[in-house]
Amino acid sequence: MRHLLSALFALAAPPLFAADTPKFKTQEIDTGLKIGYAVITADIDGDKKLDIAVVDQHKIVWYQNPGKPDAQWKKHVILDGKTRPDNVCIAAIDIDGDGLPELVVGAAWKPFDTANAAQLVWLKRGKSVTDEWTMHELPCDEPTVHRVRVFDIDGDGKPEIVHVPLMGRGSSAKGNWTDGKPARIIALKVPAKEPEKKGNWKTEVLSEELNVCHNFCLDNEVFSTEGRGPHFLAQILVTSYEGVHRLTRAKDTWTTTKIGAGNQANPKSNRGASEIKVGRVGAGIGTIATIEPWHGNQVVTYTPPARAGEKLWERHVIDEQLRWGHAVWFADLDGDKVDELIIGVRDDPNPKMGDTFKERRGVRVYKCTDGKGARWERTILDDGGVAVEDLTAADLDGDGKVDIIAVGRATGNCRIYWNQGK
């Protein structure tokens, strides 16, 4: 029955649809996830088609791209029950140089355990890509490892692994998670030989100034003007209780600079910013999008300061009709060289908490209407069908149109929204 359901399609019927936004067709490829903590796309089997990998509570799984939208995505188990529970984050990187991705996974996810180190591992495929993969430990001394990504931070053309814990060691609920050490943002450089040996991995601390760091992303493609080389300027954006910060590398030194205020309306509770991505909304114009405050109810964009000399970017609340936004992405969905903003909402409205809006959990798309990033028009793509824990966007069928993939926590599902064009 589940295989039958996974092959069925339903046209999305949003209650509000911007005129210039493409139409999407929904395909459910899995309804049996426990907690779909994270989703990525990568060519797992080397057939030049993007597959989908999902971090579930105790498993890592991938869905094999069948090459066309109306076919079944076959599910394979990469790892089952070998990590310390829960698995929480994932990134793809070619560690052994064979041209195929290995996977880095953050595990031992216990969000309020700030005393014990979490777990960071990398997974290597077996003789067959459908066999269970082998697990190799990575150095990890930080508690609450929460997000992991890979990108080149030193200009040598090879990606490093960067991971960010949610909370710093020794922080507590009594101190609103700011009474311990700040979160340590760590990079790991892939060793030239024998990556299977944990001791061959070298670590670097990029920042240890921020508290409750929910997510981060690379901002180099949008904002950096320096080329790669010995003095390559790498830039990373991080959200925290303190707001939005940019981590900048010049030569061998990292600095942490505040560029966005975040939502500071409730200083003794959840505050600051949560999810984050960067995108382009016009020629040479970049914007930052966040969810605020931490695990919050606002979709926020940031635009560069209007006046020279100002340090903080301008903050714009573009949507407050949501409860617990939990995913942010930018992608050019309509092919006009301008990015649309994609938001995942995890929870339904709760009248007992004061919610008066009716819009449910699901996926929303926003189109910039002022060419600057301050004004946006909203489309509700999925109203209630997926309790979004994470989402991503990629062209899955090679038709030149970017599709959207979302995984649900309470709904336990994985959905593809196929871009049908305008």
Side-chain angles (χ1 to χ4, degrees):
M1 182 65 176
R2 183 173 299 167
H3 290 167
L4 177 61
L5 289 173
S6 69
L8 295 178
F9 287 81
L11 283 174
L16 174 63
F17 210 95
D20 293 334
T21 303
K23 303 298 186 292
F24 288 85
K25 204 173 189 180
T26 304
Q27 182 183 12
E28 191 118 72
I29 67 170
D30 197 353
T31 58
L33 296 174
K34 299 298 183 182
I35 300 176
Y37 276 111
V39 60
I40 61 170
T41 59
D43 182 6
I44 300 292
D45 55 5
D47 65 353
K48 309 302 181 184
K49 297 190 293 288
L50 287 176
D51 307 298
I52 297 170
V54 171
V55 170
D56 206 4
Q57 188 173 19
H58 304 298
K59 296 180 181 180
I60 313 296
V61 300
W62 71 285
Y63 306 89
Q64 194 166 18
N65 192 332
K68 53 184 179 179
D70 58 346
Q72 178 186 331
W73 287 63
K74 189 174 181 180
K75 183 177 180 178
H76 304 278
V77 176
I78 292 173
L79 202 71
D80 185 359
K82 300 296 177 61
T83 55
R84 288 188 280 137
D86 284 357
N87 302 314
V88 71
C89 55
I90 187 171
I93 178 176
D94 182 6
I95 290 175
D96 59 12
D98 66 353
L100 295 171
E102 282 69 53
L103 297 173
V104 179
V105 174
W109 170 238
K110 296 180 180 179
F112 305 121
D113 179 0
T114 62
N116 298 298
Q119 185 180 32
L120 196 68
V121 302
W122 70 275
L123 309 179
K124 182 179 177 65
R125 71 192 63 231
K127 293 181 179 179
S128 169
V129 73
T130 58
D131 293 339
E132 187 171 74
W133 296 24
T134 57
M135 184 178 81
H136 305 277
E137 294 281 345
L138 289 167
C140 182
D141 296 324
E142 304 308 310
T144 68
V145 167
H146 189 237
R147 294 289 184 261
V148 63
R149 306 197 185 282
V150 297
F151 29 69
D152 179 11
I153 65 171
D154 59 11
D156 67 352
K158 300 176 182 179
E160 282 72 45
I161 298 168
V162 181
H163 73 87
V164 176
L166 179 63
M167 297 161 178
R169 183 174 291 278
S171 59
S172 69
K174 183 179 179 180
N176 196 23
W177 309 109
T178 63
D179 54 345
K181 293 182 178 180
R184 298 176 83 231
I185 298 172
I186 306 290
L188 292 86
K189 193 164 187 67
V190 179
K193 296 180 179 179
E194 297 184 296
E196 294 84 3
K197 294 183 178 180
K198 181 179 176 181
N200 288 345
W201 291 79
K202 305 301 180 185
T203 62
E204 179 183 6
V205 178
L206 308 188
S207 176
E208 44 186 336
E209 301 179 25
L210 307 174
N211 296 282
V212 190
C213 301
H214 193 267
N215 218 327
F216 72 109
C217 68
L218 184 70
D219 75 342
N220 228 65
E221 295 182 1
V222 175
F223 302 118
S224 178
T225 57
E226 292 196 14
R228 297 176 182 270
H231 305 299
F232 172 64
L233 180 65
Q235 298 183 116
I236 298 169
L237 294 177
V238 182
T239 54
S240 70
Y241 261 12
E242 289 81 11
V244 180
H245 284 71
R246 175 185 287 145
L247 277 52
T248 306
R249 178 186 184 273
K251 296 184 179 179
D252 294 324
T253 302
W254 286 89
T255 57
T256 302
T257 305
K258 186 172 184 174
I259 63 170
N263 183 328
Q264 303 297 341
N266 200 351
K268 294 184 178 181
S269 184
N270 60 315
R271 58 186 176 92
S274 200
E275 308 295 335
I276 187 166
K277 285 292 186 297
V278 294
R280 293 186 183 275
V281 296
I285 299 175
T287 188
I288 300 168
T290 63
I291 296 293
E292 298 186 3
W294 174 52
H295 282 175
N297 66 321
Q298 295 178 327
V299 180
V300 175
T301 59
Y302 287 89
T303 55
R307 291 182 290 273
E310 291 187 348
K311 294 182 179 180
L312 294 185
W313 286 40
E314 293 193 44
R315 181 177 181 269
H316 314 276
V317 179
I318 66 170
D319 193 357
E320 295 182 274
Q321 296 177 320
L322 64 150
R323 172 160 290 280
W324 205 325
H326 212 260
V328 176
W329 203 270
F330 275 106
D332 179 7
L333 298 175
D334 56 9
D336 64 355
K337 311 300 182 184
V338 174
D339 288 336
E340 281 70 48
L341 172 60
I342 309 165
I343 296 291
V345 180
R346 201 174 93 168
D347 288 5
D348 278 336
N350 186 347
K352 293 182 179 179
M353 299 294 291
D355 295 338
T356 58
F357 56 87
K358 303 298 183 183
E359 293 88 341
R360 298 189 63 198
R361 62 196 182 191
V363 180
R364 305 179 183 187
V365 175
Y366 303 76
K367 187 172 183 62
C368 183
T369 58
D370 65 355
K372 299 177 181 179
R375 298 180 65 85
W376 300 76
E377 188 176 19
R378 186 185 73 177
T379 293
I380 295 184
L381 177 58
D382 188 318
D383 191 37
V386 56
V388 178
E389 182 76 5
D390 194 24
L391 61 74
T392 187
D395 181 2
L396 294 176
D397 57 357
D399 66 352
K401 302 182 185 71
V402 178
D403 311 298
I404 301 170
I405 308 100
V407 287
R409 185 184 182 99
T411 48
N413 55 347
C414 180
R415 286 186 168 189
I416 300 171
Y417 303 90
W418 293 99
N419 191 334
Q420 306 293 291
K422 296 180 181 179

